[in-house]
Amino acid sequence: EETELLALADRDRDGARAAWQRSLAGKDTPWARRNLAVLAWEDKDHEQAAQLYGQACKLEPGLLPLAVEAGERLLEAGRAAAWLELVGGLRPQVQSAGRVRLLAARGALAVKDFGRVQALFDHGIVVDDLREGEQALSALWFEFHEQRLSAAEGVPVDAALKERVRHDYPVPAELDFRMS
């Protein structure tokens, strides 16, 4: 893949794409599929990118950085169900990684699987690479309660419901990495 990376480094996107496609014709690798997914994503072809990320993860289900990147892209593309299905095929140590669990919870929330999100909170979550000030966990906490209450009570997620959630469901200290 050195040739492909050099082509991309020289901003020859078409050359890089062609080289990665030739690489796939010779041997199906997760790296060629991942790199083609990146190009598809940059070209705003999110459907193609999602397919390629999924294929790359199936070829290498034990690689945490690939799973995280795929999860982020699939969720950004609105493919939460596809992400959740993909998580099920990852190796157990990847599935149990905090960042993957966080992304799985975001996916579950997107498909309104409140029980799965609640289970994540009930069992605890530690995201090893969470940075000070990162609001991913607190945002998930608030969004979960907003959507859960909205569905249960038949009310919209509006400013009043958001204020109520922030008052009635404060973020537990172990999930709160917001800067005060």
Side-chain angles (χ1 to χ4, degrees):
E1 292 195 7
E2 185 175 326
T3 304
E4 297 91 336
L5 293 174
L6 290 173
L8 188 57
D10 288 340
R11 298 290 178 219
D12 180 5
R13 294 173 54 78
D14 292 334
R17 180 177 285 109
W20 283 320
Q21 288 169 338
R22 282 193 307 276
S23 175
L24 276 181
K27 182 177 181 186
D28 197 356
T29 69
W31 304 118
R33 290 196 179 277
R34 180 265 177 197
N35 293 339
L36 287 167
V38 169
L39 288 177
W41 187 264
E42 290 174 354
D43 291 342
K44 308 279 190 256
D45 187 351
H46 296 163
E47 182 65 28
Q48 179 69 17
Q51 289 176 6
L52 288 162
Y53 272 118
Q55 293 162 353
C57 285
K58 287 176 184 171
L59 288 169
E60 188 53 70
L63 190 62
L64 178 59
L66 177 60
V68 168
E69 183 177 330
E72 289 170 346
R73 293 296 180 257
L74 287 167
L75 291 173
E76 287 176 48
R79 304 275 318 268
W83 165 238
L84 293 172
E85 183 179 325
L86 187 60
V87 169
L90 298 173
R91 298 243 166 87
Q93 72 272 20
V94 174
Q95 287 182 24
S96 66
R99 184 64 66 175
V100 171
R101 292 181 67 224
L102 173 61
L103 291 168
R106 286 182 44 210
L109 189 57
V111 299
K112 308 288 190 222
D113 185 348
F114 300 128
R116 188 170 179 173
V117 181
Q118 184 65 58
L120 170 87
F121 289 132
D122 290 347
H123 291 101
I125 180 170
V126 176
V127 181
D128 294 334
D129 62 345
L130 202 66
R131 294 175 300 278
E132 183 77 26
E134 185 175 344
Q135 298 182 22
L137 286 171
S138 54
L140 177 67
W141 177 264
F142 288 136
E143 189 177 351
F144 164 67
H145 287 291
E146 291 162 3
Q147 287 191 30
R148 181 183 59 79
L149 290 173
S150 173
E153 298 174 5
V155 298
V157 176
D158 59 10
L161 182 61
K162 289 181 179 198
E163 182 178 326
R164 179 177 144 210
V165 164
R166 274 148 189 77
H167 179 268
D168 294 349
Y169 299 93
V171 179
E174 67 272 13
L175 300 177
D176 197 354
F177 289 82
R178 299 171 294 169
M179 301 291 286
S180 296

